[in-house]
Amino acid sequence: FENKRVIIIFFIVYIFYPAMAASKKKSKSPKKSGKTNPSEPFPAPVKNTINDDTEEESIHDRTDAIMADAGGDSADDIPDIIDKDSDELDDNNSGQEKAVDRNKPKVSKKEKYEKESMENMIPFMDTFYQLSSEESPRDRSVAARDLIRHCFFSGNDSTEAINHKDAAYALTRLMNGLCTGRAASRQGFASCLSTFLRVVYSPAINRDSIKFGSALNEILQEDAYAQSLKEKTDSGSDDLDSAMIMRKKLLSTTEFLHSGEKDSKKNKFGKKMKGMEERDHAFGRLFGILAIVRSGILGLETFPSSVVEGYVQDIIDLYHYKKWMREPAAHAVIELVSSLESDATTTKLTNDIIIPNLLLSSSTDEDGTPIEVDSSDKTKWMQQLTAEQIAVALNLQRHSHQINTYKSPLHEPLLTEKSVCTLAAALAATSNVVHPRCHVVWNAIWTYLTEEVESLEKAETSLATAGETILPQSQMARRTLKRAENGLIIEKIIHHVVVSLLLGKGEESISPTHERRSLALRIIQTLIGSKDMNIVIPSSLIENILCPTVVEGVFLNVMCASGGLAKKKAKSTEAGNDGRGVEHYLKPLTSAALLRLSDHSSADDFVNRRMALAKALLTSDPRFDMLTKTQTVSSILMLERNVSEKLQGFEKQQVLELWDSYVTFLEEQIIKAKNLHSATSFIELMYKLAKKDLSAA
C-alpha cells in the first residue's frame, strides 16, 4: 500500500504539474525567468523536447528570446543605457533651471506677500462680513486691507484709482457696523474706519490738492446723506464741509436717547428703541470718535478746529449719559487731547470746553444739561470730583509749563501732598473696577508723578543662571519721579488710600474686601515690582511703601489664608469634602507679585534696593518665607544655592556687600527685639546666612 502511495504522488507531480503550470502561464504577461521561483514548492521540470510544449509556451519562449537579445532579462526591466540618458537629461535640466533662477531678480518677502494677497483678495461685499470675525484679529485685518485696496488702490493712477461710489458705500457701512454688537463688529469696523480715514487724508491720495481732505469731499458727493445736508446748509469751505459732514453723519448714524429727553427715540424701523439698542448706539458713537482720533487726522494743521471741539463735546455728552460710560468717555478725552500736537489747541479746548462742561459739572438736571459747580471753594470742588474727572485733570497738568495757561481751577496743581486726603475717597472707590484691570485714574497718577528717562546702558555685570539674568541688563525705558516732592505724595497715597480705606486700618471701619485688597496689591505692585510702567522709585521710599501694615494686609493675610468662604462652601456643597485644596481668591495674583519683587531691581542700585526690600518684609515678620511658603526673601538676598554657587568677580563682591548689610540689619533687630521669640527668629536667619557663606567660600 505504501508503494502505491509513492507511485501516485510521483505521477501527480511529474505528469500533471507541468500542465497546471502551463495553464497559469496563459494569464500572465510574457516574462522570461531564469531563476527559480521560491514560492513554488517544487522546481519546474526541464523541457527536453519541443513536442512537449504547447503552442502558447513556444510563443512565450520566442518572446523571451527576443527580449533577451535586446539586452534585458524581462519586459519589466529597462536597459541601463536608458537610465543613464535620463539621469544626464535630468542633470542638464536642473542645471539650466538653476542658471535661470540665478538670473532672476530676488523677490523680497514684502513683494511675495503683496502678490499672494492680490491673488487671494476677498471680494468687496464679503469684506464687511469678515470684519466682524471673532476667530482671529488677523482675519479682520485682512478684510480691512482688501476693502481699502478695493476703494483706493484698484488702479495704477492715484486719482483714477479711487472708486468713489464704493468708497461712499463703505463709509456708510463702516459707521453702521459700529452700532452692531454681533461678534467683534465694533473692533473690526472701528479699526477699518480708522485706516479708511487715514488713507483718505494721506498725501498719496490728495497728491493734486493743496489741502488734505479733498478726496473725502469727492467721496461724500456720492453719499445721499451728505448731499441732503449740503442742500440744507451753505458753507464756504469745502474742507470744512467734508470734516463737518463726516461728524454729523456719525452722530446721525449713532443717534440715541439722551438722559432727560422725554420723547422716545425710534430706531430705523420706526419702533421704540430698546435699552440694548440705545446702549449699542452709545458705544458705536464712542468707537467711531476713537477711530477718528486714532486715524491721526485731528492733529493735522488743515483740520478745522471747530470740528475737533465738536468731537470733544460729543465725548463729554457721553460722559454725562450713564455712569458706566464715564470711564470710557474719560479715556477718550485723554486720548483725543494727547493726539493733538499744538499746545495752543490743547489750551483752547481745555479752557473753552473741558473745564466748564466736564470738570465744573458734577451732575445733570432733568433736561440733561450739566450743572456747574462753584470753583471758588477748591476743597469743596475737589470733594465732588469723580475718579474720571481727576484722571482728565491730571492728564492735562502732566506738563508743568501748561498749568499757567489754564483757567481756574486748573491753574494750580490738583494732586499735592495736602489734596491727597481730599481725593482719597474718589480714588478708593475705583476698587469696583473689574479685576485685575486698574481704573484709568491710576495710570494718569503715575504718568503725572513720574517721567520717562533715557534707556539704561547695559549693566557692566550680570549674574545669570539657567538662562535667567539676576542682575538685569535693562535697556527698557524706565520712569523716575519728576521731583523729590512727588515721593511725599506717594507716601500720602499709601497712607490715606491703601492703608486707611482699602485695607480698613483707618478711623472709619471698612472691611477689606477682595476687590479692595486687589486694588491695594496692584498699587504696591506698580510702585515696587511692575514691568508694565517700569517705575523705579528711590530705595529710601521702599520701606515707607512696604510698611508692616501693608505687608501684612496685602501679602501675609492672603498667602496664609486657607480659602475663607470658598472653603466653607466646599464643605457644605460637596459630600466628604473638608475644604482642603481651596486657596484664597487673590493668592495666584499675590504669588506672581512676590516673584517679580526680586526681578525688579535696578542694576545701578543693586545693594540698596534689595536690602530695602528685605528689610521691609522681614520687619513685618522674620518668618516671611516660611509663612508664605515662598523663597521671596532668599531670592532678594541671593541666598539660593543655584545662584550663589556661580558668583565670580564683581558679581561676588556685590553679593558679599549685600550680605554684610544683611548681617548688620540682623544685629540691629536682635538688639531691638522686645522678647526672646523675636530675637530667636533673627538669630536663626543669621545662622542660615553663616552656613550659606561658608558653603560659598
Side-chain angles (χ1 to χ4, degrees):
F1 179 75
E2 293 180 357
N3 293 335
K4 290 181 180 179
R5 287 181 58 189
V6 173
I7 294 172
I8 292 171
I9 292 173
F10 180 83
F11 179 81
I12 292 173
V13 172
Y14 285 91
I15 301 300
F16 288 94
Y17 185 81
M20 295 172 60
S23 62
K24 291 181 180 180
K25 196 172 183 180
K26 291 180 181 180
S27 60
K28 294 182 180 180
S29 60
K31 295 182 181 180
K32 181 178 180 181
S33 177
K35 301 179 181 179
T36 59
N37 189 358
S39 63
E40 296 177 356
F42 298 99
V46 180
K47 301 176 184 179
N48 295 326
T49 58
I50 300 177
N51 296 331
D52 295 335
D53 296 337
T54 61
E55 183 178 0
E56 289 79 7
E57 288 178 325
S58 61
I59 293 174
H60 291 308
D61 291 339
R62 287 194 296 269
T63 305
D64 294 339
I66 294 172
M67 294 298 299
D69 294 338
D73 295 336
S74 65
D76 294 335
D77 297 332
I78 300 176
D80 294 337
I81 187 170
I82 299 179
D83 292 337
K84 293 179 181 179
D85 292 341
S86 63
D87 293 339
E88 292 177 359
L89 291 173
D90 292 340
D91 294 339
N92 294 334
N93 293 334
S94 62
Q96 293 176 0
E97 291 176 358
K98 291 179 180 179
V100 172
D101 292 340
R102 293 192 193 99
N103 296 330
K104 286 183 179 179
K106 294 183 179 180
V107 181
S108 62
K109 292 183 179 180
K110 183 178 180 180
E111 294 176 352
K112 186 178 179 181
Y113 174 75
E114 292 179 354
K115 183 178 179 181
E116 293 178 355
S117 62
M118 288 295 294
E119 294 176 354
N120 302 326
M121 191 170 177
I122 303 174
F124 174 64
M125 297 302 294
D126 293 346
T127 56
F128 298 102
Y129 179 79
Q130 192 72 14
L131 283 175
S132 60
S133 173
E134 59 182 352
E135 295 180 359
S136 172
R138 178 175 175 79
D139 296 340
R140 300 193 294 267
S141 300
V142 171
R145 178 201 64 192
D146 293 343
L147 187 148
I148 299 299
R149 182 174 293 170
H150 173 82
C151 294
F152 298 101
F153 303 103
S154 58
N156 296 326
D157 190 8
S158 61
T159 57
E160 298 178 357
I162 302 179
N163 191 337
H164 297 90
K165 187 175 181 180
D166 288 350
Y169 174 79
L171 182 61
T172 303
R173 285 288 301 269
L174 291 176
M175 289 187 178
N176 290 332
L178 298 174
C179 302
T180 305
R182 184 181 67 86
S185 294
R186 288 197 186 94
Q187 292 86 338
F189 281 82
S191 177
C192 186
L193 178 61
S194 178
T195 307
F196 184 94
L197 296 176
R198 187 184 302 116
V199 173
V200 165
Y201 279 86
S202 64
I205 300 298
N206 301 272
R207 186 177 303 171
D208 299 333
S209 178
I210 299 176
K211 294 183 178 180
F212 294 157
S214 60
L216 178 61
N217 193 21
E218 296 175 359
I219 292 172
L220 291 177
Q221 291 179 0
E222 300 292 337
D223 185 74
Y225 175 81
Q227 294 303 317
S228 63
L229 193 62
K230 283 185 177 181
E231 293 177 357
K232 296 178 181 179
T233 59
D234 297 330
S235 180
S237 176
D238 294 338
D239 183 54
L240 178 61
D241 283 345
S242 61
M244 184 61 72
I245 289 173
M246 184 178 63
R247 173 175 170 262
K248 290 186 177 181
K249 181 179 177 64
L250 176 63
L251 297 181
S252 176
T253 305
T254 61
E255 187 176 1
F256 59 94
L257 179 65
H258 294 277
S259 59
E261 292 182 1
K262 298 180 180 180
D263 297 334
S264 60
K265 177 69 177 64
K266 296 183 179 181
N267 55 19
K268 60 182 179 180
F269 300 105
K271 298 181 180 180
K272 183 179 178 180
M273 181 176 289
K274 299 180 181 179
M276 184 177 297
E277 293 178 341
E278 187 177 339
R279 184 198 61 185
D280 289 339
H281 280 240
F283 276 113
R285 179 172 297 185
L286 179 67
F287 273 72
I289 297 175
L290 284 176
I292 296 172
V293 171
R294 296 185 179 183
S295 65
I297 63 176
L298 299 184
L300 299 176
E301 296 180 357
T302 58
F303 198 85
S305 59
S306 59
V307 179
V308 179
E309 295 175 0
Y311 283 127
V312 175
Q313 185 60 50
D314 296 337
I315 299 175
I316 294 176
D317 292 340
L318 288 173
Y319 172 85
H320 294 294
Y321 169 59
K322 295 288 184 182
K323 287 186 178 180
W324 44 262
M325 185 60 80
R326 288 181 178 179
E327 185 183 0
H331 186 274
V333 172
I334 293 173
E335 191 165 349
L336 190 150
V337 173
S338 302
S339 65
L340 302 177
E341 298 180 358
S342 175
D343 294 341
T345 305
T346 304
T347 303
K348 188 174 184 301
L349 284 175
T350 303
N351 294 333
D352 297 345
I353 299 178
I354 297 178
I355 291 179
N357 298 336
L358 179 61
L359 299 182
L360 292 181
S361 60
S362 59
S363 59
T364 58
D365 56 12
E366 296 180 356
D367 297 332
T369 305
I371 301 175
E372 295 186 1
V373 179
D374 186 12
S375 61
S376 57
D377 189 354
K378 191 173 182 180
T379 303
K380 185 177 180 181
W381 169 71
M382 287 191 297
Q383 290 176 350
Q384 296 178 352
L385 289 177
T386 62
E388 294 79 16
Q389 292 173 326
I390 296 173
V392 174
L394 293 179
N395 182 77
L396 293 172
Q397 292 184 343
R398 70 185 187 278
H399 300 299
S400 58
H401 66 276
Q402 290 185 343
I403 297 180
N404 297 328
T405 62
Y406 296 146
K407 294 181 179 180
S408 176
L410 290 187
H411 64 289
E412 296 178 355
L414 176 63
L415 186 62
T416 60
E417 184 181 356
K418 296 180 180 179
S419 64
V420 172
C421 180
T422 307
L423 302 174
L427 297 178
T430 59
S431 60
N432 57 1
V433 175
V434 179
H435 166 79
R437 185 181 65 85
C438 273
H439 194 275
V440 65
V441 68
W442 293 107
N443 190 19
I445 290 175
W446 309 137
T447 307
Y448 175 80
L449 296 176
T450 62
E451 61 182 351
E452 187 173 337
V453 297
E454 296 180 358
S455 59
L456 297 173
E457 297 180 357
K458 279 193 174 182
E460 296 180 359
T461 59
S462 62
L463 298 175
T465 173
E468 296 182 357
T469 303
I470 306 301
L471 290 179
Q473 298 180 356
S474 176
Q475 287 187 330
M476 296 175 57
R478 59 176 180 174
R479 305 188 67 89
T480 58
L481 298 180
K482 292 181 181 179
R483 296 175 297 273
E485 295 80 6
N486 291 350
L488 299 176
I489 297 177
I490 293 178
E491 291 182 8
K492 292 295 182 179
I493 292 176
I494 297 298
H495 175 70
H496 292 289
V497 179
V498 177
V499 176
S500 299
L501 297 179
L502 297 180
L503 298 180
K505 301 297 182 180
E507 297 178 357
E508 299 179 359
S509 58
I510 301 177
S511 59
T513 60
H514 289 332
E515 290 78 9
R516 295 191 181 112
R517 289 183 187 273
S518 174
L519 178 58
L521 177 61
R522 294 303 300 268
I523 295 173
I524 300 300
Q525 184 180 356
T526 302
L527 293 173
I528 303 298
S530 175
K531 295 182 180 179
D532 299 332
M533 296 289 292
N534 200 19
I535 298 176
V536 180
I537 61 176
S539 301
S540 58
L541 196 60
I542 292 178
E543 295 186 43
N544 296 329
I545 294 175
L546 291 178
C547 58
T549 305
V550 172
V551 174
E552 180 182 356
V554 174
F555 296 111
L556 289 176
N557 290 347
V558 174
M559 298 298 293
C560 299
S562 58
L565 295 176
K567 181 177 179 179
K568 295 180 181 178
K569 185 177 180 181
K571 288 182 178 180
S572 60
T573 55
E574 298 182 10
N577 186 4
D578 57 353
R580 296 179 181 178
V582 180
E583 61 181 10
H584 196 278
Y585 176 72
L586 297 177
K587 192 171 184 179
L589 186 63
T590 308
S591 301
L594 290 175
L595 289 175
R596 296 191 185 99
L597 286 180
S598 60
D599 297 336
H600 192 70
S601 59
S602 179
D604 54 355
D605 195 16
F606 176 78
V607 176
N608 295 332
R609 187 173 183 83
R610 287 181 176 266
M611 196 61 228
L613 290 172
K615 284 182 180 180
L617 299 179
L618 294 177
T619 302
S620 176
D621 197 313
R623 302 171 299 163
F624 185 86
D625 281 357
M626 184 183 69
L627 294 176
T628 59
K629 298 180 181 179
T630 61
Q631 297 293 328
T632 305
V633 178
S634 299
S635 60
I636 291 174
L637 296 174
M638 309 292 291
L639 296 176
E640 296 178 346
R641 178 178 299 178
N642 56 349
V643 175
S644 58
E645 290 178 354
K646 298 185 178 182
L647 300 178
Q648 294 178 356
F650 180 73
E651 305 165 355
K652 187 174 183 179
Q653 181 181 355
Q654 273 196 320
V655 175
L656 292 178
E657 184 180 352
L658 175 64
W659 289 354
D660 289 341
S661 301
Y662 181 45
V663 171
T664 304
F665 165 73
L666 293 178
E667 292 175 350
E668 295 175 355
Q669 294 299 317
I670 293 173
I671 295 174
K672 294 179 182 179
K674 297 180 180 180
N675 49 48
L676 181 61
H677 177 72
S678 300
T680 304
S681 300
F682 288 105
I683 292 173
E684 291 178 356
L685 294 176
M686 185 177 292
Y687 174 71
K688 291 181 181 179
L689 177 62
K691 288 179 60 178
K692 191 66 181 178
D693 192 12
L694 291 175
S695 62

